[in-house]
Amino acid sequence: MKIVVAIKRVIDYSVKVRVKSDQSNVDLANVKMALNPFCEIAVEEAVRLKEAGKATEIVVVTIGPKAAQDQIRAAMAMGADRGIWVETVDTELDALTVAKLLAKVVQNEQPQLVLLGKQAIDSDNNQTGQMLAALLDYPQATFASKVVIEGNEAVVTREIDGGLQTLGLTLPAIVTTDLRLNEPRYVKLPDIMKAKKKTLDATTPEALGVSLQKSIKLLKVEAPAERQGGIKVESVDALIDCLKNKARVI
Amino acid sequence: MPTYKAPLRDLQFVYKELFDATSLQALPGFEEVDTDLTDTILEEAGRFCETVLQPLNQSGDEEGCHFNNGAVTTPKGFKAAYQAFCENGWGAVTADPTYGGQGLPKTIGMMVEEMICSANMSFGMYPGLTEGAYNALAKFGTDELKTTYLPKMVTGEWSGTMCLTEPHCGTDLGLVRTKAEPQSNGAYKVTGTKIFISAGEQDLTDNIIHLVLARTPDAPAGIKGISLFIVPKYLVNADGSVGAANGVSCGSIEHKMGIKASATCVINFDAAEGYLVGTLNKGMQAMFQMMNTARLGVGIQGLGLSEVSYQNAVAYARDRLQGRALKAPFQPDKPADPLFVHPDVRRMLLTMRAYTEGNRALAIWVARKLDESNRATDPKQKQSADDFVALMTPIVKAFMTDCATDVTNLGVQIYGGHGFIREWGMEQFVRDARITQIYEGTNGIQALDLVGRKMAQNTGRLLRPFFHEVSEYLEQKSADSSDELQVMIGGLMKAFGRLQQATGFIAQQGLKDPDEAAAAATDYLRLFALVALGYLWLRMAEIALAKQGEGEAEFYQAKLDTAQFYFARLLPQTGALLSAILSGSQTLMQFNHEAF
Ligand SMILES: Cc1cc2nc3c(=O)[nH]c(=O)nc-3n(C[C@H](O)[C@H](O)[C@H](O)COP(=O)(O)OP(=O)(O)OC[C@H]3O[C@@H](n4cnc5c(N)ncnc54)[C@H](O)[C@@H]3O)c2cc1C
Ligand SMILES: Cc1cc2nc3c(=O)[nH]c(=O)nc-3n(C[C@H](O)[C@H](O)[C@H](O)COP(=O)(O)OP(=O)(O)OC[C@H]3O[C@@H](n4cnc5c(N)ncnc54)[C@H](O)[C@@H]3O)c2cc1C
């Protein structure tokens, strides 16, 4: 079984995000970037499936500027076999454009399973996997906390508001990963070295026949209002009153 | 409880911006080592140190090692961490690929080591000693010894030790008494007692490979009769598996001031089978070869502890509200201001920072030259790199560890009373740092090495390139530099002049009276180190100035400001040091020893 994993280069989770002074966007100049944590979980899951003898090849794909190759190498160091880099200068692609590009890659690669993070921590859209499933007309299971491959089926446990839901998907299928699916491994030094020698193919949206249309315009980015200091209340009744009438959360 | 974040940005600044990373890549065997790869390695090593090693540092100190009937147990969590460490390849960074290593530059190895020492210095002793033993064996061992032992040492399945010290001799190894009697099969029977052997016994590995200094029955007396032997804890079968016990036992472990999670052992050799490493009676030469790298490693231990102490001191100085800024309240809405508003607290923080970042630059500079000395094909480049490493090794070892004691003590001071309390973890750094001034040759011995051997070697050949480089740089920059740089250039010129004067004085007086050179040694080493750091701080300031306006304004401004602090408040020590040196040996030697 071949697995394609889509990964994204995002601002590192530990970086304190700053807004550009003209409010046009988040300031990414000289900021530490990393593999999106949900994508990292997706790669880890693919590697575990391969280690368990369920998968034979793992292809990671990313869309972005040249620097995004770092994230492909990082995924390869975790155990992915091969990388595809779709070069775009623009880092603000719509989820739909990304899904279209990924759909082309999936059509070319013909994997049995496509793994994605449920969302990227930069814009928290939570759309790409779903759109990709729609474009390909594949079955999908989002927010996966457990993935089991049984023959031609993926049995996926999903985290939903009411608890857990288990779906059986006929392969090929799309699965997006949630936080509790696994804990990504520490990367081994020899694997970092090996990753350098793995194949990384470059392609472009033109070559894939996808035009980078924009249907969403970013108007303005503002930092959230600074948190106000808390208050102390005298009694439980006062607390309930505050929660009801001041904070209006219950 | 202390925390630690790998200082990736500063490491990158030094290896990419201060030094030219592409020239490292140009050395044979390092073609693949581009900055992307280095970044990834440092990041992953940093992550491992932060999340696996650092959480065991304080608990390891509290628990210490256990000794029971010859067996040593390391603190809780060490065994699993050691296994993960080895599985992840962090013990094999620089080792030769022939034996399963990654063959990466020492420069990378040393940067990784810094992080290990910040996170958990005691833990780092175990793989660190293996690396020392590996180096000696790789350089001087026969092919048979190398293929038998090195691959398992690289994977970490077996560990190594260095057995030099005996009850009656530490500094003066010419007094070594451990015997090695030749056997008919070419092996030796080694008998004697070694003390203070780090990692001499532990529960982490299947076998322990001891490198032992001993003398054969007919050996000449003193230092010229010492040979180096390899003595495994368990004999190795022909198929490479671990065989019978080999007359090596652990008599006890020491109860120590610091590095409590590192087992410091009495090791008894009782007619244990050993094999000669290198040439008979040339054991000290072999040991010194390896000790040079080990000494740099000890300097790095000091650097690692300084860094982690500084990080926690900064966090506390932001957090702790105490007293008011003298001119106007910094946080009028709070009961008091954070510590960092106080000039004296800032003095402490900046002293810690300036030494730590300066020493990081010095360490990486020397590591770079070590790689050149190992790999360069041009004999001239190789020789000059070799000379530089030889010159700087005692300086890195002694100065960086002296700084570690000063810096970690400032860390305690910034915590006030809480610095003195174990729970906060700051006093552990002081206790752990203290040994670095003692082992691998005390700092006093390092200073003697600098004035007695390195200075005199080949009539000053080692010194000249360094002096030349600094004076050339000063000359070049004195003409067309900004005002900010000019002030620093003036400061370095003055300090450099003092170093030259002290060098001349010692060379002259030392010829007449060896006590004169020895009396000046420690002050001279410090003077030398301060000038070397001054030179590096000047170059770092120059970069920071050039990068202004290119983003990361805070980072570069902090570099520049730290440089200015160094020039204003630390480099002037050179004046006092010169005075002390020029006063000569008289006040030391005239004192009647009965009156002590
Ligand atoms: C925790 C720990 C771990 C250690 N690990 C190891 C190890 O793994 N392997 C190993 O072999 N050893 C190890 N040692 C031993 C260590 O290297 C020695 O303690 C050190 O070399 C000093 O020797 P000594 O203790 O005998 O002191 P001494 O040699 O007795 O020195 C005492 C003092 O006198 C000074 N002094 C001595 N001779 C001179 C001189 N000629 N000129 C000027 N000053 C002089 C010294 O600088 C020092 O200040 C370890 C020690 C400790 C405490
Ligand atoms: C073992 C021990 C025994 C003790 N015994 C007693 C005792 O018997 N009775 C008792 O009452 N207390 C006792 N203490 C408390 C001790 O006196 C305090 O720890 C000490 O006064 C420092 O206060 P602090 O710990 O709050 O540090 P802080 O006041 O928080 O100081 C932290 C650091 O900031 C610096 N700093 C703080 N304010 C300023 C400022 N305005 N300007 C410049 N620098 C500043 C300090 O010099 C220090 O380096 C004891 C403490 C210990 C550890």
Side-chain angles (χ1 to χ4, degrees), chain B residues 94-374:
Chain B
T94 59
D96 188 338
T98 316
Y99 307 112
Q102 295 302 329
L104 287 163
K106 297 276 182 206
T107 308
I108 295 184
M110 293 229 176
M111 292 192 284
V112 172
E113 255 173 63
E114 182 204 312
M115 299 191 276
I116 295 170
C117 296
S118 284
N120 195 330
M121 175 173 151
S122 282
F123 178 92
M125 293 291 288
Y126 296 99
L129 264 298
T130 305
E131 196 191 335
Y134 168 95
N135 286 337
L137 205 48
K139 186 134 188 158
F140 298 101
T142 59
D143 285 343
E144 194 192 336
L145 288 178
K146 288 197 276 196
T147 47
T148 307
Y149 293 98
L150 292 183
K152 292 256 168 69
M153 291 169 77
V154 171
T155 59
E157 288 162 88
W158 298 351
S159 67
T161 73
M162 320 225 303
C163 301
L164 289 65
T165 308
E166 296 183 6
H168 59 283
C169 71
T171 300
D172 189 355
L173 293 169
L175 304 175
V176 158
R177 284 184 199 146
T178 298
K179 293 187 308 215
E181 285 174 293
Q183 305 296 299
S184 53
N185 63 355
Y188 291 79
K189 288 272 177 234
V190 176
T191 303
T193 295
K194 295 285 178 179
I195 64 164
F196 293 163
I197 304 311
S198 299
E201 178 58 45
Q202 31 76 359
D203 57 350
L204 306 174
T205 61
D206 301 340
N207 203 356
I208 302 175
I209 314 307
H210 301 284
L211 280 167
V212 185
L213 285 186
R215 70 173 71 247
T216 51
D218 311 325
I223 207 83
K224 294 199 163 74
I226 309 276
S227 305
L228 182 63
F229 299 89
I230 176 172
V231 185
K233 177 179 163 188
Y234 296 107
L235 293 169
V236 177
N237 298 326
D239 65 356
S241 61
V242 173
N246 184 27
V248 183
S249 62
C250 176
S252 62
I253 60 173
E254 305 295 342
H255 303 279
K256 318 191 286 291
M257 175 182 184
I259 57 166
K260 293 188 180 196
S262 165
T264 307
C265 307
V266 172
I267 298 290
N268 297 312
F269 296 94
D270 186 8
E273 183 160 309
Y275 319 99
L276 183 67
V277 176
T279 316
L280 200 66
N281 298 332
K282 293 262 158 64
M284 284 312 289
Q285 277 100 316
M287 214 40 154
F288 267 116
Q289 278 281 347
M290 145 176 70
M291 238 148 45
N292 274 340
T293 332
R295 285 177 171 173
L296 296 175
V298 174
I300 301 279
Q301 291 182 327
L303 171 62
L305 291 170
S306 301
E307 170 66 31
V308 71
S309 178
Y310 172 70
Q311 286 188 15
N312 286 283
V314 170
Y316 193 77
R318 283 192 211 285
D319 226 41
R320 172 82 167 168
L321 306 182
Q322 202 75 186
R324 282 291 180 199
L326 294 171
K327 284 204 218 127
F330 181 80
Q331 289 182 344
D333 54 327
K334 298 268 169 66
D337 286 336
L339 289 181
F340 66 74
V341 302
H342 304 306
D344 190 56
V345 172
R346 302 174 82 87
R347 170 189 64 80
M348 294 192 271
L349 287 173
L350 281 161
T351 301
M352 296 172 85
R353 185 182 179 106
Y355 280 141
T356 304
E357 291 184 4
N359 280 337
R360 179 172 296 124
L362 178 63
I364 294 179
W365 190 17
V366 178
R368 290 284 316 255
K369 295 286 181 181
L370 189 59
D371 280 319
E372 276 179 43
S373 129
N374 289 338

Side-chain angles (χ1 to χ4, degrees), chain B residues 40-111:
Chain B
T40 309
I41 292 171
L42 294 182
E43 208 170 295
E44 290 301 331
R47 175 146 77 141
F48 187 87
C49 292
E50 289 165 7
T51 56
V52 179
L53 300 185
Q54 198 272 341
L56 296 175
N57 191 40
Q58 206 174 9
S59 58
D61 178 65
E62 286 291 326
E63 186 187 336
C65 291
H66 309 276
F67 179 77
N68 192 355
N69 208 4
V72 172
T73 316
T74 53
K76 196 160 165 273
F78 270 53
K79 198 169 171 145
Y82 180 77
Q83 247 150 24
F85 181 89
C86 296
E87 273 167 24
N88 284 285
W90 299 120
V93 178
T94 59
D96 188 338
T98 316
Y99 307 112
Q102 295 302 329
L104 287 163
K106 297 276 182 206
T107 308
I108 295 184
M110 293 229 176
M111 292 192 284

Side-chain angles (χ1 to χ4, degrees), chain B residues 394 397-402 436-439 441-448 522 525:
Chain B
K397 196 287 178 176
F399 181 71
M400 285 173 50
T401 59
D402 284 350
T436 62
Q437 295 174 292
I438 297 170
Y439 59 20
T442 62
N443 286 1
I445 296 302
Q446 302 301 320
L448 289 178
T522 290
L525 183 145

Side-chain angles (χ1 to χ4, degrees), chain A residues 160-237:
Chain A
I160 59 171
D161 286 347
L164 297 176
Q165 179 190 50
T166 305
L167 297 179
L169 313 179
T170 308
L171 299 177
I174 309 284
V175 174
T176 76
T177 60
D178 214 325
L179 209 56
R180 281 154 292 271
L181 177 58
N182 60 48
E183 209 173 297
R185 67 196 56 207
Y186 289 100
V187 172
K188 296 185 169 119
L189 179 61
D191 293 339
I192 296 174
M193 307 294 287
K194 277 184 215 143
K196 266 192 85 72
K197 301 203 167 70
K198 292 181 178 173
T199 315
L200 197 166
D201 294 312
T203 182
T204 60
E206 298 79 61
L208 293 171
V210 176
S211 71
L212 303 181
Q213 272 168 0
K214 283 210 164 226
S215 49
I216 295 172
K217 203 166 139 197
L218 181 63
L219 299 179
K220 188 170 147 192
V221 176
E222 278 177 273
E226 215 168 298
R227 224 178 248 240
Q228 300 297 312
I231 54 163
K232 270 193 182 157
V233 291
E234 296 297 330
S235 64
V236 174
D237 287 343

